[in-house]
Amino acid sequence: REKLKTGQIPITPPPTSPAIQHRLWPEVDRLVKQQVAMARMGIGECGTGWQLFAEDGEMKMYRREEEVDGMVVDPLKAVHVVKGITGHEVCDYFFNPKYRYDWETTLEHMTVLETISDDTLVFLQTHKRIWPASQRDVVFWSHMRKLPNDQDRDGPDIWTVVNNSTESPEHPANVGKCVRIYLTVCLLCQTRVHPPKDGAPITRNNVSCKITYCSVVNPGGWAPASVLRAVYKREYPKFLKRFTSYVINQTKNKPLMF
Ligand code: 18C
């Protein structure tokens, strides 16, 4: 914080989140900026090798085959456009732990290890086991943020949630039955408003949400590549369809939240 003399007006803007005081803040802020910049790029702009592996209506999912130390870490990029919901709503349902068991079908158990601030939490999750591999767990911080809409200053804000693996001294990796996975996930949501021509009030029929979901998951230990790629192919489309239907259902009788 800058030191002010009496009567001097501060030039440093106020912190945008109380999490700014936390030891993880520099990493959170850096990763969020980096992940949002990558998510905003079109599939043609973010390197070569992207293959479309799933398509259903507006939903398109691409992956790039990558391995690190013999382990499959294929980056995934999905884009979807969903009518009737806003970016703020999508991010709220994705971030807020109270909804997680409703839509996250691979989840076995979730604990909030730390509440850094209203928009920054640390989670410990265990996921369902896939035979013949070991069960997986993950510790990650999750941060939700509103971004200025610099392409359309009068348009609704853009919202994002970034999840990134972190360490917890109380929950060290690979000590129990679970193998620790490592992930970086970015959900970026842009609301589009299609105003009614007669100047009538905006309803859910006049909004849609462009969703970009990017993820890189390192399985953390042995997992047969063919099984892993088959799991990805099945589970990612299932997740995005189920999650977005869930948000539509939850919000249909609620006022729009921009
Ligand atoms: O982003 C998503 N969810 C967030 C909130 O939970 C958060 C967490 C992501 C965890 C993703 C990793 C889950 C691993 C689960 C193991 C697979 C269980 C399948 C059970 C089938 C009955 O960011 C949405 C996440 C959508 C997840 C899609 C599946 C991704 C598969 C990743 C495989 C990881 C290694 C598994 C090792 C075993 C392989 C043989």
Side-chain angles (χ1 to χ4, degrees):
R1 289 277 181 86
E2 67 194 296
K3 280 203 175 118
L4 299 175
K5 293 186 189 123
T6 319
Q8 198 182 347
I9 297 163
I11 49 165
T12 316
T16 51
S17 160
I20 204 162
Q21 314 289 352
H22 195 272
R23 68 182 169 85
L24 281 173
W25 181 253
E27 178 187 307
V28 171
D29 200 44
R30 180 177 56 81
L31 252 292
V32 169
K33 285 173 180 150
Q34 179 208 81
Q35 289 299 310
V36 165
M38 302 240 289
R40 289 182 112 167
M41 286 185 204
I43 207 76
E45 294 169 87
C46 46
T48 51
W50 290 94
Q51 320 163 0
L52 181 71
F53 74 92
E55 192 172 8
D56 189 348
E58 294 274 5
M59 187 187 81
K60 287 188 173 59
M61 288 198 165
Y62 304 84
R63 57 139 194 222
R64 216 173 50 215
E65 289 198 0
E66 262 180 40
E67 287 179 25
V68 172
D69 301 330
M71 274 183 292
V72 170
V73 291
D74 298 357
L76 170 116
K77 186 164 180 135
V79 282
H80 199 4
V81 179
V82 184
K83 288 185 181 140
I85 52 179
T86 68
H88 191 179
E89 290 164 344
V90 173
C91 284
D92 193 37
Y93 283 95
F94 187 75
F95 173 77
N96 199 321
K98 73 179 177 205
Y99 307 119
R100 185 111 357 129
Y101 286 104
D102 294 345
W103 60 264
E104 181 65 286
T105 56
T106 71
L107 193 60
E108 189 170 278
H109 193 252
M110 177 210 63
T111 318
V112 177
L113 293 182
E114 192 179 352
T115 300
I116 297 175
S117 60
D118 287 350
D119 57 14
T120 315
L121 303 171
V122 178
F123 288 94
L124 166 63
Q125 293 188 173
T126 55
H127 288 262
K128 290 175 185 162
R129 178 173 176 242
I130 308 171
W131 185 89
S134 307
Q135 190 177 12
R136 260 53 182 181
D137 69 3
V138 60
V139 175
F140 61 96
W141 54 255
S142 184
H143 175 76
M144 172 158 145
R145 185 180 292 193
K146 180 171 83 170
L147 305 163
N149 189 345
D150 40 25
Q151 269 142 33
D152 175 9
R153 283 173 200 279
D154 299 324
D157 293 310
I158 294 167
W159 284 83
T160 190
V161 177
V162 176
N163 295 343
N164 189 59
S165 279
T166 189
E167 279 172 19
S168 164
E170 291 77 34
H171 303 275
N174 310 322
V175 289
K177 61 177 178 171
C178 285
V179 170
R180 179 73 41 94
I181 63 170
Y182 298 91
L183 58 78
T184 305
V185 165
C186 176
L187 177 78
L188 184 76
C189 298
Q190 205 165 346
T191 311
R192 290 166 179 165
V193 181
H194 323 276
K197 289 200 174 67
D198 56 5
I202 288 162
T203 70
R204 293 203 173 268
N205 296 328
N206 309 114
V207 299
S208 64
C209 182
K210 183 185 174 194
I211 299 172
T212 306
Y213 175 88
C214 301
S215 108
V216 181
V217 179
N218 183 322
W222 179 81
S226 58
V227 179
L228 199 50
R229 289 200 166 108
V231 172
Y232 271 61
K233 210 171 164 177
R234 185 189 65 213
E235 294 297 326
Y236 278 116
K238 189 170 147 193
F239 145 66
L240 201 54
K241 284 192 263 179
R242 184 186 162 90
F243 171 65
T244 50
S245 306
Y246 173 73
V247 179
I248 293 172
N249 252 306
Q250 288 293 305
T251 53
K252 65 183 177 213
N253 296 318
K254 297 196 175 91
L256 281 158
M257 181 171 78
F258 285 102

